[in-house]
PDB file of all heavy atoms in Angstrom:
ATOM      1  N   ARG A1026     -21.313   8.833  15.767  1.00 97.00           N
ATOM      2  CA  ARG A1026     -20.724   9.123  17.077  1.00 97.00           C
ATOM      3  C   ARG A1026     -21.764   9.171  18.193  1.00 97.00           C
ATOM      4  O   ARG A1026     -21.682   8.736  19.256  1.00 97.00           O
ATOM      5  CB  ARG A1026     -20.010  10.394  16.985  1.00 97.00           C
ATOM      6  CG  ARG A1026     -18.697  10.480  16.200  1.00 97.00           C
ATOM      7  CD  ARG A1026     -17.692  11.480  16.388  1.00 97.00           C
ATOM      8  NE  ARG A1026     -18.253  12.873  16.466  1.00 97.00           N
ATOM      9  CZ  ARG A1026     -17.761  13.853  17.072  1.00 97.00           C
ATOM     10  NH1 ARG A1026     -16.603  13.658  17.822  1.00 97.00           N
ATOM     11  NH2 ARG A1026     -18.262  15.077  17.108  1.00 97.00           N
ATOM     12  N   PHE A1029     -22.930   5.756  18.903  1.00 98.00           N
ATOM     13  CA  PHE A1029     -21.974   5.105  19.658  1.00 98.00           C
ATOM     14  C   PHE A1029     -22.175   5.432  21.133  1.00 98.00           C
ATOM     15  O   PHE A1029     -22.189   4.538  21.935  1.00 98.00           O
ATOM     16  CB  PHE A1029     -20.494   5.422  19.211  1.00 98.00           C
ATOM     17  CG  PHE A1029     -19.484   4.712  19.865  1.00 98.00           C
ATOM     18  CD1 PHE A1029     -18.905   3.654  19.298  1.00 98.00           C
ATOM     19  CD2 PHE A1029     -19.047   5.128  21.196  1.00 98.00           C
ATOM     20  CE1 PHE A1029     -17.943   2.875  20.022  1.00 98.00           C
ATOM     21  CE2 PHE A1029     -17.994   4.364  21.782  1.00 98.00           C
ATOM     22  CZ  PHE A1029     -17.501   3.316  21.240  1.00 98.00           C
ATOM     23  N   LEU A1030     -22.176   6.659  21.380  1.00 97.00           N
ATOM     24  CA  LEU A1030     -22.206   7.083  22.768  1.00 97.00           C
ATOM     25  C   LEU A1030     -23.545   6.519  23.496  1.00 97.00           C
ATOM     26  O   LEU A1030     -23.365   6.037  24.685  1.00 97.00           O
ATOM     27  CB  LEU A1030     -22.206   8.688  23.002  1.00 97.00           C
ATOM     28  CG  LEU A1030     -20.855   9.259  22.544  1.00 97.00           C
ATOM     29  CD1 LEU A1030     -21.000  10.762  22.293  1.00 97.00           C
ATOM     30  CD2 LEU A1030     -19.905   9.128  23.799  1.00 97.00           C
ATOM     31  N   TRP A1033     -23.023   2.607  23.799  1.00 97.00           N
ATOM     32  CA  TRP A1033     -22.004   2.302  24.866  1.00 97.00           C
ATOM     33  C   TRP A1033     -22.707   2.368  26.262  1.00 97.00           C
ATOM     34  O   TRP A1033     -22.471   1.513  27.069  1.00 97.00           O
ATOM     35  CB  TRP A1033     -20.928   3.302  24.735  1.00 97.00           C
ATOM     36  CG  TRP A1033     -19.842   2.951  25.694  1.00 97.00           C
ATOM     37  CD1 TRP A1033     -19.726   3.379  26.996  1.00 97.00           C
ATOM     38  CD2 TRP A1033     -18.638   2.130  25.447  1.00 97.00           C
ATOM     39  NE1 TRP A1033     -18.641   2.882  27.619  1.00 97.00           N
ATOM     40  CE2 TRP A1033     -17.885   2.117  26.725  1.00 97.00           C
ATOM     41  CE3 TRP A1033     -18.159   1.503  24.480  1.00 97.00           C
ATOM     42  CZ2 TRP A1033     -16.681   1.338  26.808  1.00 97.00           C
ATOM     43  CZ3 TRP A1033     -17.007   0.758  24.482  1.00 97.00           C
ATOM     44  CH2 TRP A1033     -16.326   0.627  25.733  1.00 97.00           C
ATOM     45  N   GLU A1041     -19.630  -6.435  28.919  1.00 97.00           N
ATOM     46  CA  GLU A1041     -18.320  -5.842  28.561  1.00 97.00           C
ATOM     47  C   GLU A1041     -17.255  -6.901  28.850  1.00 97.00           C
ATOM     48  O   GLU A1041     -17.207  -7.498  29.860  1.00 97.00           O
ATOM     49  CB  GLU A1041     -18.014  -4.558  29.426  1.00 97.00           C
ATOM     50  CG  GLU A1041     -16.616  -4.062  29.028  1.00 97.00           C
ATOM     51  CD  GLU A1041     -16.334  -2.639  29.671  1.00 97.00           C
ATOM     52  OE1 GLU A1041     -17.319  -2.020  30.089  1.00 97.00           O
ATOM     53  OE2 GLU A1041     -15.142  -2.299  29.771  1.00 97.00           O
ATOM     54  N   ALA A1069     -13.429   8.019  17.746  1.00 97.00           N
ATOM     55  CA  ALA A1069     -12.904   9.050  18.574  1.00 97.00           C
ATOM     56  C   ALA A1069     -11.676   8.644  19.307  1.00 97.00           C
ATOM     57  O   ALA A1069     -11.439   7.425  19.419  1.00 97.00           O
ATOM     58  CB  ALA A1069     -13.919   9.527  19.566  1.00 97.00           C
ATOM     59  N   ARG A1071      -9.142   9.983  22.482  1.00 97.00           N
ATOM     60  CA  ARG A1071      -8.794  10.990  23.547  1.00 97.00           C
ATOM     61  C   ARG A1071      -7.570  10.429  24.337  1.00 97.00           C
ATOM     62  O   ARG A1071      -7.232   9.394  24.292  1.00 97.00           O
ATOM     63  CB  ARG A1071      -9.923  10.944  24.614  1.00 97.00           C
ATOM     64  CG  ARG A1071     -11.333  11.464  23.969  1.00 97.00           C
ATOM     65  CD  ARG A1071     -11.218  13.042  23.758  1.00 97.00           C
ATOM     66  NE  ARG A1071     -12.375  13.644  23.222  1.00 97.00           N
ATOM     67  CZ  ARG A1071     -12.862  13.612  21.895  1.00 97.00           C
ATOM     68  NH1 ARG A1071     -11.914  13.038  21.034  1.00 97.00           N
ATOM     69  NH2 ARG A1071     -13.887  14.088  21.522  1.00 97.00           N
ATOM     70  N   VAL A1073      -5.848  10.526  27.843  1.00 96.00           N
ATOM     71  CA  VAL A1073      -6.065  10.842  29.361  1.00 96.00           C
ATOM     72  C   VAL A1073      -4.847  10.235  30.128  1.00 96.00           C
ATOM     73  O   VAL A1073      -4.572   9.076  29.972  1.00 96.00           O
ATOM     74  CB  VAL A1073      -7.356  10.176  29.811  1.00 96.00           C
ATOM     75  CG1 VAL A1073      -7.647  10.531  31.307  1.00 96.00           C
ATOM     76  CG2 VAL A1073      -8.604  10.641  29.042  1.00 96.00           C
ATOM     77  N   ASP A1074      -4.217  11.140  30.909  1.00 93.00           N
ATOM     78  CA  ASP A1074      -3.107  10.682  31.730  1.00 93.00           C
ATOM     79  C   ASP A1074      -2.068   9.998  30.774  1.00 93.00           C
ATOM     80  O   ASP A1074      -1.623   8.933  31.142  1.00 93.00           O
ATOM     81  CB  ASP A1074      -3.526   9.806  32.853  1.00 93.00           C
ATOM     82  CG  ASP A1074      -4.473  10.483  33.807  1.00 93.00           C
ATOM     83  OD1 ASP A1074      -4.537  11.696  33.732  1.00 93.00           O
ATOM     84  OD2 ASP A1074      -5.281   9.791  34.595  1.00 93.00           O
ATOM     85  N   MET A1078      -6.959   6.635  24.336  1.00 98.00           N
ATOM     86  CA  MET A1078      -8.218   5.839  24.381  1.00 98.00           C
ATOM     87  C   MET A1078      -8.914   6.054  22.900  1.00 98.00           C
ATOM     88  O   MET A1078      -9.303   7.160  22.619  1.00 98.00           O
ATOM     89  CB  MET A1078      -9.177   6.406  25.413  1.00 98.00           C
ATOM     90  CG  MET A1078      -8.452   6.844  26.637  1.00 98.00           C
ATOM     91  SD  MET A1078      -8.260   5.526  27.788  1.00 98.00           S
ATOM     92  CE  MET A1078      -9.888   5.400  28.482  1.00 98.00           C
ATOM     93  N   TYR A1080     -12.021   4.878  20.647  1.00 98.00           N
ATOM     94  CA  TYR A1080     -13.365   4.395  20.599  1.00 98.00           C
ATOM     95  C   TYR A1080     -13.547   3.905  19.197  1.00 98.00           C
ATOM     96  O   TYR A1080     -13.543   4.617  18.205  1.00 98.00           O
ATOM     97  CB  TYR A1080     -14.368   5.415  21.096  1.00 98.00           C
ATOM     98  CG  TYR A1080     -14.046   5.517  22.622  1.00 98.00           C
ATOM     99  CD1 TYR A1080     -13.240   6.565  23.157  1.00 98.00           C
ATOM    100  CD2 TYR A1080     -14.491   4.627  23.494  1.00 98.00           C
ATOM    101  CE1 TYR A1080     -12.987   6.803  24.344  1.00 98.00           C
ATOM    102  CE2 TYR A1080     -14.208   4.692  24.854  1.00 98.00           C
ATOM    103  CZ  TYR A1080     -13.437   5.798  25.365  1.00 98.00           C
ATOM    104  OH  TYR A1080     -13.094   5.919  26.549  1.00 98.00           O
ATOM    105  N   GLU A1094     -13.103  -0.123  23.106  1.00 98.00           N
ATOM    106  CA  GLU A1094     -12.256   0.895  23.691  1.00 98.00           C
ATOM    107  C   GLU A1094     -10.863   0.316  23.578  1.00 98.00           C
ATOM    108  O   GLU A1094     -10.573  -0.782  24.214  1.00 98.00           O
ATOM    109  CB  GLU A1094     -12.657   1.386  24.981  1.00 98.00           C
ATOM    110  CG  GLU A1094     -11.769   2.337  25.699  1.00 98.00           C
ATOM    111  CD  GLU A1094     -12.068   2.512  27.186  1.00 98.00           C
ATOM    112  OE1 GLU A1094     -11.737   1.528  27.960  1.00 98.00           O
ATOM    113  OE2 GLU A1094     -12.612   3.479  27.508  1.00 98.00           O
ATOM    114  N   ARG A1096      -6.914   0.903  24.550  1.00 97.00           N
ATOM    115  CA  ARG A1096      -6.058   1.675  25.310  1.00 97.00           C
ATOM    116  C   ARG A1096      -4.544   1.430  25.003  1.00 97.00           C
ATOM    117  O   ARG A1096      -4.184   0.288  25.017  1.00 97.00           O
ATOM    118  CB  ARG A1096      -6.185   1.452  26.767  1.00 97.00           C
ATOM    119  CG  ARG A1096      -7.681   1.610  27.299  1.00 97.00           C
ATOM    120  CD  ARG A1096      -7.749   1.584  28.744  1.00 97.00           C
ATOM    121  NE  ARG A1096      -9.095   1.449  29.120  1.00 97.00           N
ATOM    122  CZ  ARG A1096      -9.459   1.287  30.506  1.00 97.00           C
ATOM    123  NH1 ARG A1096      -8.487   1.193  31.345  1.00 97.00           N
ATOM    124  NH2 ARG A1096     -10.712   1.100  30.799  1.00 97.00           N
ATOM    125  N   CYS A1107     -11.433  -3.284  25.412  1.00 98.00           N
ATOM    126  CA  CYS A1107     -12.609  -3.573  26.106  1.00 98.00           C
ATOM    127  C   CYS A1107     -13.623  -3.581  24.998  1.00 98.00           C
ATOM    128  O   CYS A1107     -13.726  -2.693  24.200  1.00 98.00           O
ATOM    129  CB  CYS A1107     -12.992  -2.492  27.104  1.00 98.00           C
ATOM    130  SG  CYS A1107     -11.732  -2.268  28.441  1.00 98.00           S
TER     131      CYS A1107
ATOM    132  N   LEU B1161     -24.067  20.479  18.329  1.00 77.00           N
ATOM    133  CA  LEU B1161     -24.165  18.968  18.639  1.00 77.00           C
ATOM    134  C   LEU B1161     -22.700  18.323  18.564  1.00 77.00           C
ATOM    135  O   LEU B1161     -22.377  17.561  19.339  1.00 77.00           O
ATOM    136  CB  LEU B1161     -25.056  18.300  17.457  1.00 77.00           C
ATOM    137  CG  LEU B1161     -25.090  16.831  17.455  1.00 77.00           C
ATOM    138  CD1 LEU B1161     -25.726  16.295  18.761  1.00 77.00           C
ATOM    139  CD2 LEU B1161     -25.745  16.311  16.245  1.00 77.00           C
ATOM    140  N   GLU B1162     -21.919  18.882  17.483  1.00 81.00           N
ATOM    141  CA  GLU B1162     -20.524  18.301  17.474  1.00 81.00           C
ATOM    142  C   GLU B1162     -19.819  18.669  18.652  1.00 81.00           C
ATOM    143  O   GLU B1162     -19.012  17.766  19.173  1.00 81.00           O
ATOM    144  CB  GLU B1162     -19.905  18.905  16.224  1.00 81.00           C
ATOM    145  CG  GLU B1162     -20.433  18.323  14.803  1.00 81.00           C
ATOM    146  CD  GLU B1162     -20.385  16.900  14.717  1.00 81.00           C
ATOM    147  OE1 GLU B1162     -19.263  16.230  14.752  1.00 81.00           O
ATOM    148  OE2 GLU B1162     -21.462  16.231  14.568  1.00 81.00           O
ATOM    149  N   LEU B1165     -20.765  16.363  21.435  1.00 93.00           N
ATOM    150  CA  LEU B1165     -20.267  14.921  21.240  1.00 93.00           C
ATOM    151  C   LEU B1165     -18.787  14.869  21.573  1.00 93.00           C
ATOM    152  O   LEU B1165     -18.363  13.876  22.166  1.00 93.00           O
ATOM    153  CB  LEU B1165     -20.433  14.498  19.766  1.00 93.00           C
ATOM    154  CG  LEU B1165     -22.021  14.301  19.310  1.00 93.00           C
ATOM    155  CD1 LEU B1165     -22.086  13.944  17.869  1.00 93.00           C
ATOM    156  CD2 LEU B1165     -22.649  13.169  20.219  1.00 93.00           C
ATOM    157  N   ASP B1166     -18.086  15.896  21.103  1.00 94.00           N
ATOM    158  CA  ASP B1166     -16.641  16.018  21.416  1.00 94.00           C
ATOM    159  C   ASP B1166     -16.492  15.828  23.074  1.00 94.00           C
ATOM    160  O   ASP B1166     -15.684  15.252  23.568  1.00 94.00           O
ATOM    161  CB  ASP B1166     -15.957  17.247  20.991  1.00 94.00           C
ATOM    162  CG  ASP B1166     -15.717  17.185  19.501  1.00 94.00           C
ATOM    163  OD1 ASP B1166     -15.617  16.169  19.016  1.00 94.00           O
ATOM    164  OD2 ASP B1166     -15.467  18.222  18.839  1.00 94.00           O
ATOM    165  N   GLU B1167     -17.322  16.692  23.634  1.00 95.00           N
ATOM    166  CA  GLU B1167     -17.183  16.778  25.094  1.00 95.00           C
ATOM    167  C   GLU B1167     -17.649  15.429  25.783  1.00 95.00           C
ATOM    168  O   GLU B1167     -17.041  14.963  26.718  1.00 95.00           O
ATOM    169  CB  GLU B1167     -18.214  17.804  25.565  1.00 95.00           C
ATOM    170  CG  GLU B1167     -18.289  18.113  27.045  1.00 95.00           C
ATOM    171  CD  GLU B1167     -17.009  18.380  27.759  1.00 95.00           C
ATOM    172  OE1 GLU B1167     -16.116  18.929  27.046  1.00 95.00           O
ATOM    173  OE2 GLU B1167     -16.881  17.918  28.875  1.00 95.00           O
ATOM    174  N   ALA B1168     -18.653  14.827  25.077  1.00 96.00           N
ATOM    175  CA  ALA B1168     -19.223  13.453  25.717  1.00 96.00           C
ATOM    176  C   ALA B1168     -18.068  12.369  25.597  1.00 96.00           C
ATOM    177  O   ALA B1168     -17.859  11.717  26.609  1.00 96.00           O
ATOM    178  CB  ALA B1168     -20.492  13.171  24.981  1.00 96.00           C
ATOM    179  N   PHE B1169     -17.348  12.437  24.473  1.00 97.00           N
ATOM    180  CA  PHE B1169     -16.171  11.497  24.363  1.00 97.00           C
ATOM    181  C   PHE B1169     -15.186  11.719  25.355  1.00 97.00           C
ATOM    182  O   PHE B1169     -14.533  10.786  25.957  1.00 97.00           O
ATOM    183  CB  PHE B1169     -15.662  11.450  22.931  1.00 97.00           C
ATOM    184  CG  PHE B1169     -16.431  10.356  21.999  1.00 97.00           C
ATOM    185  CD1 PHE B1169     -17.233  10.951  20.996  1.00 97.00           C
ATOM    186  CD2 PHE B1169     -16.210   9.029  22.167  1.00 97.00           C
ATOM    187  CE1 PHE B1169     -17.922   9.959  20.247  1.00 97.00           C
ATOM    188  CE2 PHE B1169     -16.939   8.240  21.343  1.00 97.00           C
ATOM    189  CZ  PHE B1169     -17.849   8.750  20.378  1.00 97.00           C
ATOM    190  N   SER B1170     -14.816  12.923  25.601  1.00 97.00           N
ATOM    191  CA  SER B1170     -13.879  13.390  26.566  1.00 97.00           C
ATOM    192  C   SER B1170     -14.249  12.844  27.971  1.00 97.00           C
ATOM    193  O   SER B1170     -13.492  12.265  28.749  1.00 97.00           O
ATOM    194  CB  SER B1170     -13.589  14.896  26.669  1.00 97.00           C
ATOM    195  OG  SER B1170     -13.073  15.278  25.494  1.00 97.00           O
ATOM    196  N   LEU B1172     -16.368  10.355  28.680  1.00 97.00           N
ATOM    197  CA  LEU B1172     -16.256   8.954  28.693  1.00 97.00           C
ATOM    198  C   LEU B1172     -14.854   8.483  28.865  1.00 97.00           C
ATOM    199  O   LEU B1172     -14.622   7.586  29.774  1.00 97.00           O
ATOM    200  CB  LEU B1172     -16.791   8.410  27.342  1.00 97.00           C
ATOM    201  CG  LEU B1172     -16.686   6.897  27.082  1.00 97.00           C
ATOM    202  CD1 LEU B1172     -17.443   6.067  28.155  1.00 97.00           C
ATOM    203  CD2 LEU B1172     -17.118   6.533  25.624  1.00 97.00           C
ATOM    204  N   ALA B1173     -14.068   8.994  28.158  1.00 97.00           N
ATOM    205  CA  ALA B1173     -12.503   8.636  28.325  1.00 97.00           C
ATOM    206  C   ALA B1173     -12.078   8.850  29.775  1.00 97.00           C
ATOM    207  O   ALA B1173     -11.416   8.001  30.386  1.00 97.00           O
ATOM    208  CB  ALA B1173     -11.660   9.317  27.340  1.00 97.00           C
ATOM    209  N   GLU B1174     -12.444  10.056  30.228  1.00 96.00           N
ATOM    210  CA  GLU B1174     -12.117  10.353  31.615  1.00 96.00           C
ATOM    211  C   GLU B1174     -12.657   9.426  32.647  1.00 96.00           C
ATOM    212  O   GLU B1174     -12.006   8.992  33.569  1.00 96.00           O
ATOM    213  CB  GLU B1174     -12.508  11.846  31.864  1.00 96.00           C
ATOM    214  CG  GLU B1174     -12.136  12.538  33.133  1.00 96.00           C
ATOM    215  CD  GLU B1174     -10.631  12.909  33.114  1.00 96.00           C
ATOM    216  OE1 GLU B1174     -10.214  13.497  32.034  1.00 96.00           O
ATOM    217  OE2 GLU B1174      -9.878  12.609  34.071  1.00 96.00           O
ATOM    218  N   ARG B1176     -13.639   6.532  32.239  1.00 95.00           N
ATOM    219  CA  ARG B1176     -12.981   5.162  32.148  1.00 95.00           C
ATOM    220  C   ARG B1176     -11.560   4.952  32.774  1.00 95.00           C
ATOM    221  O   ARG B1176     -11.238   3.990  33.200  1.00 95.00           O
ATOM    222  CB  ARG B1176     -12.947   4.675  30.722  1.00 95.00           C
ATOM    223  CG  ARG B1176     -14.268   4.736  29.932  1.00 95.00           C
ATOM    224  CD  ARG B1176     -15.048   3.468  30.214  1.00 95.00           C
ATOM    225  NE  ARG B1176     -14.378   2.364  29.589  1.00 95.00           N
ATOM    226  CZ  ARG B1176     -14.740   1.122  29.787  1.00 95.00           C
ATOM    227  NH1 ARG B1176     -15.807   0.812  30.407  1.00 95.00           N
ATOM    228  NH2 ARG B1176     -13.988   0.138  29.185  1.00 95.00           N
ATOM    229  N   THR B1177     -10.917   6.063  32.750  1.00 91.00           N
ATOM    230  CA  THR B1177      -9.444   6.129  33.237  1.00 91.00           C
ATOM    231  C   THR B1177      -9.488   6.318  34.730  1.00 91.00           C
ATOM    232  O   THR B1177      -8.716   5.726  35.462  1.00 91.00           O
ATOM    233  CB  THR B1177      -8.754   7.150  32.589  1.00 91.00           C
ATOM    234  OG1 THR B1177      -8.936   7.188  31.040  1.00 91.00           O
ATOM    235  CG2 THR B1177      -7.139   7.054  32.819  1.00 91.00           C
ATOM    236  N   ASN B1178     -10.375   7.245  35.141  1.00 80.00           N
ATOM    237  CA  ASN B1178     -10.594   7.522  36.565  1.00 80.00           C
ATOM    238  C   ASN B1178     -12.020   7.302  36.988  1.00 80.00           C
ATOM    239  O   ASN B1178     -12.751   8.309  37.283  1.00 80.00           O
ATOM    240  CB  ASN B1178     -10.135   9.065  36.853  1.00 80.00           C
ATOM    241  CG  ASN B1178      -8.764   9.229  36.307  1.00 80.00           C
ATOM    242  OD1 ASN B1178      -7.789   8.652  36.673  1.00 80.00           O
ATOM    243  ND2 ASN B1178      -8.764  10.187  35.445  1.00 80.00           N
TER     244      ASN B1178
END
Side-chain angles (χ1 to χ4, degrees):
Chain A
R1026 297 200 305 156
F1029 182 98
L1030 287 162
W1033 182 274
E1041 178 174 341
R1071 292 291 180 275
V1073 181
D1074 299 340
M1078 320 272 282
Y1080 292 96
E1094 178 189 75
R1096 301 186 195 179
C1107 300
Chain B
L1161 173 66
E1162 290 303 303
L1165 293 177
D1166 281 343
E1167 179 56 32
F1169 272 107
S1170 298
L1172 174 60
E1174 189 72 45
R1176 301 274 301 172
T1177 312
N1178 306 303

